[in-house]
Amino acid sequence: MGRGSGFGKAILFNEHFVVYGIPGIVSAIDSTASAVARRTGEGIRIKDERKGATGYTQKKMIQQKDSISRMLKAMSFDQEEVSLEIWLGGNLPGFSGIGASAASSVAIARAIADEFNLDLPDEKINDIAYEAEKAYAGTPSGIDNTAATYGGLIWFKKSVIGRSNTIKKLSLRKPVEIIIGNTGIVADTKAMVEGVAARRKKDPGKYDQLFKQAEDLAFKARNNLNDFNLRKVGELMNRNHHLLQEIEVSCEELDYLVNLSREQGAYGAKLTGGGGGGCMVALTPGKALQEKVATTMENEGFQVLKTKIGI
Ligand code: PMV
């Protein structure tokens, strides 16, 4: 029996923009997906027992099957000849936008490698999970699988000329509380990424300008994270949300939760992940503020994850 796990994540800056080579900042959160893989004699069977938003597991089933095929191929297995039972669990809920797919891919890749006694380094696991992510995201940047594989706080820049991506660990003076609020809408990252591509094609001038602003913001955010200037980090998150609204990946429910968090005193808030539903993240340093924002949201019937960045 082989075992593996992968980190959940919150993108703090520049989801979508990262697909085009703009730097992004992502943090692993202290919730993980776990997988167990066992050789059996009956094809590939998946038992997904993750706690999720209603419909998440169902809606992602076809993409999940495709992702496992892609993974096996990347691991040089002949799919016709491999029989596996895969169990998925862990304390990372199946919300859209917190890297549930990437975390599960990393967990499964590690579990399969363990079951077959393959000693795969993290770089290889990351590459395999990237292949798997294509099933969920179409043309993924690689930011999700990178966070799921390595953990920590990461500066990520995709190479747009086929070279290696830039992956740099950033450090925070100490972990900081955040909340992740779930709109309850299961979003399709692939459709959201395709939507941005189509709108950019129609109005390249507008998008070039927005990309420039997003790039600028990433560098400012990196400096302020480094200086532990959390007020400024929050302000930059607010500005990032505005840019994400401009590329039309937010929605009414996300904007509602973002505004609610700000009203309750969050230092900053924005959507996180693919948008169009899914989740938002609010910077809520200190247990008291975190609790206040989370409780307000829960009282309105939303699911909330209380976690930390910079773990
Ligand atoms: O929705 P998620 O958690 O899969 O996040 C996707 C992040 C995007 O930037 C929208 C896509 C990507 O591959 O970077």
Side-chain angles (χ1 to χ4, degrees):
M1 195 182 288
R3 292 177 188 279
S5 72
F7 291 98
K9 64 94 188 48
I11 299 181
L12 300 178
F13 292 96
N14 283 350
E15 46 275 275
H16 285 288
F17 298 104
V18 284
V19 173
Y20 300 89
I22 307 295
I25 299 176
V26 61
S27 179
I29 55 176
D30 59 0
S31 302
T32 52
S34 325
V36 174
R38 201 164 57 91
R39 274 177 266 197
T40 61
E42 301 159 53
I44 310 285
R45 282 184 297 152
I46 309 158
K47 212 165 169 202
D48 193 340
E49 291 183 354
R50 287 175 295 169
K51 289 183 284 167
T54 323
Y56 178 90
T57 312
Q58 223 60 19
K59 202 162 173 185
K60 302 269 171 174
M61 201 136 42
I62 294 170
Q63 294 181 342
Q64 187 180 58
K65 281 213 165 111
D66 181 22
S67 78
I68 292 174
S69 301
R70 286 169 184 270
M71 259 192 264
L72 290 171
K73 197 165 167 220
M75 293 171 98
S76 308
F77 282 111
D78 180 346
Q79 243 191 92
E80 303 303 312
E81 289 180 5
V82 192
S83 293
L84 278 171
E85 191 174 68
I86 296 167
W87 171 87
L88 258 182
N91 63 352
L92 180 70
F95 298 171
S96 301
I98 56 171
S101 61
S104 68
S105 298
V106 167
I108 293 171
R110 284 184 169 141
I112 296 175
D114 188 27
E115 172 68 350
F116 288 91
N117 297 318
L118 308 172
D119 190 16
L120 302 183
D122 280 348
E123 290 72 24
K124 181 71 187 162
I125 294 289
N126 197 22
D127 288 347
I128 295 165
Y130 178 70
E131 284 306 311
E133 274 293 280
K134 289 181 184 167
Y136 295 102
T139 50
S141 63
I143 192 167
D144 280 16
N145 47 278
T146 299
T149 303
Y150 297 103
L153 184 65
I154 295 173
W155 171 267
F156 177 89
K157 188 176 186 302
K158 175 187 165 178
S159 165
V160 283
I161 50 165
R163 297 240 174 93
S164 304
N165 299 328
T166 307
I167 299 169
K168 277 194 192 134
K169 282 251 178 171
L170 305 177
S171 59
L172 259 193
R173 203 175 296 160
K174 59 178 188 177
V176 177
E177 288 79 6
I178 58 165
I179 65 104
I180 290 172
N182 187 4
T183 60
I185 301 166
V186 181
D188 185 347
T189 302
K190 195 170 168 184
M192 296 308 293
V193 171
E194 285 166 3
V196 174
R199 289 187 290 277
R200 176 178 178 245
K201 216 169 159 188
K202 269 198 188 150
D203 196 348
K206 173 183 168 182
Y207 275 71
D208 280 354
Q209 262 197 11
L210 293 169
F211 284 11
K212 181 80 206 69
Q213 289 176 46
E215 181 166 30
D216 216 51
L217 215 134
F219 283 98
K220 287 197 172 104
R222 185 169 77 174
N223 291 341
N224 282 286
L225 281 164
N226 192 39
D227 296 345
F228 208 67
N229 189 354
L230 299 182
R231 284 278 175 203
K232 190 72 195 173
V233 172
E235 199 185 302
L236 293 166
M237 285 170 71
N238 289 340
R239 278 172 51 192
N240 203 200
H241 184 69
H242 182 69
L243 294 180
L244 291 159
Q245 286 174 318
E246 291 278 316
I247 61 167
E248 297 176 44
V249 293
S250 191
C251 64
E252 221 176 282
E253 294 81 356
L254 281 167
D255 291 345
Y256 179 75
L257 293 180
V258 163
N259 288 332
L260 190 69
S261 321
R262 291 175 188 159
E263 278 162 22
Q264 292 302 313
Y267 285 22
K270 61 180 277 292
L271 70 85
T272 189
C279 291
M280 48 72 64
V281 57
L283 189 66
T284 53
K287 279 235 167 307
L289 181 57
Q290 184 186 44
E291 201 56 48
K292 185 176 177 225
V293 178
T295 307
T296 308
M297 232 174 243
E298 280 165 352
N299 286 344
E300 296 213 14
F302 295 97
Q303 289 175 299
V304 179
L305 186 67
K306 287 177 270 182
T307 183
K308 287 180 180 174
I309 55 165
I311 46 159

